[in-house]
Amino acid sequence: MSSPRLHHSVRTIDLDHDQLMVFSDPRGTCIEVLFGGLWLTEERCAQDRIASAGQALRLQSNGRAVAEPFGPTRLRVTAPAHLGSVLRSAWQRWRPTLAALAPRSMAALLALLLSVSLPEFLGRAVQQRLEIAQQRVAREATDRPPAVDRVSLVQARQASS
């Protein structure tokens, strides 16, 4: 059985000298400078980084990151696959198969319930509950001290006086 493939999001982006690119929750995103230059500032990182054509930077922070170009710049941004996108991709791939199996599965479940005889099954469950309750009552009766009748108490007092 093969493991699920993680699909990365790859985009090519052109920035002019007066544009900024802001990344939210970018950890693991790779920014490759195809031409031009880039100044990268990341939240929670002590130093800014600079990259020129042919260099790549991997974002390290979970906070925001701001990329500012030095003149016209082209970037290739590769974002890592997140669990949500992997699950969505798996659902889209397996949905037709599951949809085809669902009617057959429901029919098999219904046939099983009918073959077991549902009323008989429920009757057994109720009978077992009644037996358990009767056993509990019997146990409590043997654990409890015998009840003393008031009449016998009065008779015992009169006999002793």
Side-chain angles (χ1 to χ4, degrees):
M1 182 173 187
S2 65
S3 61
R5 291 181 299 176
L6 298 180
H7 300 283
H8 299 282
S9 166
V10 180
R11 296 177 293 166
T12 302
I13 299 168
D14 290 322
L15 296 175
D16 204 0
H17 71 280
D18 58 348
Q19 295 178 313
L20 296 175
M21 184 161 186
V22 179
F23 298 89
S24 296
D25 193 22
R27 185 180 192 111
T29 299
C30 181
I31 302 173
E32 182 182 355
V33 180
L34 300 176
F35 70 80
L38 185 73
W39 180 328
L40 181 70
T41 303
E42 288 186 81
E43 197 172 40
R44 298 184 196 104
C45 285
Q47 295 182 350
D48 291 354
R49 296 184 284 165
I50 295 176
S52 58
Q55 295 180 323
L57 301 171
R58 185 166 304 278
L59 301 178
Q60 301 166 348
S61 172
N62 280 335
R64 286 189 177 166
V66 178
E68 182 178 358
F70 297 124
T73 301
R74 177 170 288 165
L75 307 173
R76 179 180 299 132
V77 179
T78 306
H82 293 286
L83 181 59
S85 63
V86 171
L87 292 176
R88 192 175 314 109
S89 171
W91 170 252
Q92 289 171 350
R93 190 170 353 136
W94 286 97
R95 184 176 178 185
T97 305
L98 294 174
L101 290 176
R104 287 187 228 151
S105 301
M106 293 302 291
L109 181 61
L110 182 60
L112 178 65
L113 287 175
L114 292 175
S115 70
V116 171
S117 177
L118 190 58
E120 182 182 332
F121 175 75
L122 292 175
R124 278 193 227 149
V126 169
Q127 182 64 33
Q128 288 175 347
R129 292 284 183 189
L130 285 174
E131 289 172 3
I132 291 170
Q134 289 171 348
Q135 291 171 358
R136 186 177 301 140
V137 169
R139 258 195 316 253
E140 290 174 357
T142 57
D143 294 345
R144 190 176 342 153
V148 179
D149 188 13
R150 288 186 182 185
V151 176
S152 49
L153 275 177
V154 171
Q155 289 173 352
R157 286 186 188 158
Q158 288 175 353
S160 65
S161 25

